[in-house]
Amino acid sequence: MEKIALITGGSRGIGRAICLELAQAGYKIIVNYLSNAKAAEQTLAECNNNGIILQADVSSSDGINKLVSEIQNNFGRLDVLVNNAGITRDNLLIRMSQQEWNEVIQTNFAGIMELTEAILPIMQAQQSGKIINIASTVGVHGNAGQTNYAAAKAALISYTKIKARELMPFIQVNAIAPGLVKTDMTADFNLAELSKTKLGRAAEPQDIAACVKWLATASGNYITGQIIEIDGGLFLWSDIKALV
Ligand code: NAP
């Protein structure tokens, strides 16, 4: 039986790379997007059109209900859910508006929890499934100017650990916490300067997607409740060799 994978925010960036990796691994791909239809079409074309495109705002209950009922109607099953869609609204906390706070918490955490809980009955009926949440290193380490984003990602990390416990043994739940990745989200950043990591570069989206494939396919069957940081050593500053 052909396996089905839903990638939220599959139109661009990390989400597109995940769609391509999973398509190459033989999955039928559901490319979700918010407003960039052309980009979603390009993603699906790069997946040899093996799948469908579903526009839905995953930060809203209406969008989530639409997505879940389309999946039920089109496939009646779901093997992999990748909660990838995310946004930033950066500001120092003292200047952060209520709207900047709400949008990020809603998209990067509350909507993900609502979508996941709505998808779970499908996976529970199958007694199988993989849930992979795209968090961030800032959800582990924090970052000035990103209280909304870091709080949402930290909540997502906690949710990942709890759902892994609650859903054992049939459904595996893991999170990936990327550092700096070359996408539209970081287009305004000086990545060369910020990426003075042990590995000397920012990540390509494919660096993250390869790990998603590993978790989604049979190679990840014995992995659950893990938070995998893929950051090129961004936070490995305390190495004594740097001091001599
Ligand atoms: P990106 O290039 O800005 O792409 C964002 C994607 O999310 C797009 O496909 C967008 O759809 C979709 N999206 C946004 N809001 C949505 C909504 N409400 N409903 C449905 N889709 C929505 O971002 P990215 O850099 O690939 O980031 C992907 C994930 O990785 C995010 O969760 C982000 O927080 C995380 N991450 C990124 C980095 C980084 O350095 N880039 C680092 C750590 C973690 P449209 O194309 O329709 O707009």
Side-chain angles (χ1 to χ4, degrees):
M1 190 191 343
E2 196 169 29
K3 293 197 166 185
I4 318 287
L6 164 64
I7 297 90
T8 69
S11 46
R12 292 184 285 125
I14 296 170
R16 172 179 288 173
I18 295 169
C19 290
L20 268 51
E21 277 288 323
L22 293 184
Q24 281 161 15
Y27 287 79
K28 191 179 272 290
I29 304 298
I30 304 169
V31 183
N32 160 253
Y33 75 101
L34 178 62
S35 54
N36 204 331
K38 275 213 156 44
E41 282 160 22
Q42 190 185 329
T43 299
L44 190 62
E46 289 179 24
C47 297
N48 290 324
N49 288 309
N50 184 19
I52 60 169
I53 295 169
L54 288 180
Q55 189 286 330
D57 179 351
V58 294
S59 72
S60 81
S61 296
D62 285 351
I64 289 165
N65 293 338
K66 173 178 155 190
L67 199 50
V68 176
S69 67
E70 292 272 4
I71 290 167
Q72 285 278 23
N73 294 340
N74 279 286
F75 306 108
R77 63 178 289 113
L78 189 70
D79 299 283
V80 177
L81 166 62
V82 185
N83 285 310
N84 165 77
I87 58 167
T88 49
R89 300 284 184 268
D90 297 347
N91 223 332
L92 289 178
L93 188 56
I94 197 166
R95 297 191 198 127
M96 189 173 286
S97 68
Q98 191 67 48
Q99 187 177 349
E100 288 168 334
W101 174 267
N102 290 348
E103 285 177 2
V104 170
I105 298 293
Q106 190 59 35
T107 304
N108 295 7
F109 177 59
I112 291 176
M113 187 170 70
E114 190 177 338
L115 173 63
T116 304
E117 296 300 317
I119 290 284
L120 272 174
I122 302 175
M123 290 185 171
Q124 282 166 323
Q126 296 162 189
Q127 296 206 327
S128 70
K130 300 273 181 75
I131 298 168
I132 301 160
N133 296 322
I134 306 301
S136 166
T137 43
V138 310
V140 179
H141 302 281
N143 198 21
Q146 288 197 308
T147 310
N148 49 0
Y149 186 80
K153 296 295 189 182
L156 183 58
I157 286 169
S158 237
Y159 178 67
T160 300
K161 293 176 183 172
I162 291 162
K163 292 314 286 187
R165 284 174 163 84
E166 290 183 354
L167 296 171
M168 280 193 262
F170 299 116
I171 297 167
Q172 288 83 53
V173 190
N174 293 289
I176 295 172
L180 290 161
V181 189
K182 290 181 209 164
T183 69
D184 294 344
M185 185 177 272
T186 53
D188 295 337
F189 293 13
N190 182 346
L191 285 178
E193 181 59 29
L194 289 169
S195 304
K196 286 184 176 164
T197 67
K198 295 284 165 66
L199 301 188
R201 64 171 175 88
E204 299 291 340
Q206 206 276 336
D207 290 317
I208 313 305
C211 186
V212 173
K213 181 170 85 174
W214 178 60
L215 291 171
T217 53
S219 50
N221 281 355
Y222 200 60
I223 302 164
T224 198
Q226 301 305 305
I227 313 303
I228 302 172
E229 287 186 68
I230 304 180
D231 66 359
L234 195 59
F235 287 91
L236 301 183
W237 292 113
S238 58
D239 193 328
I240 200 154
K241 273 180 9 198
L243 304 174
V244 293

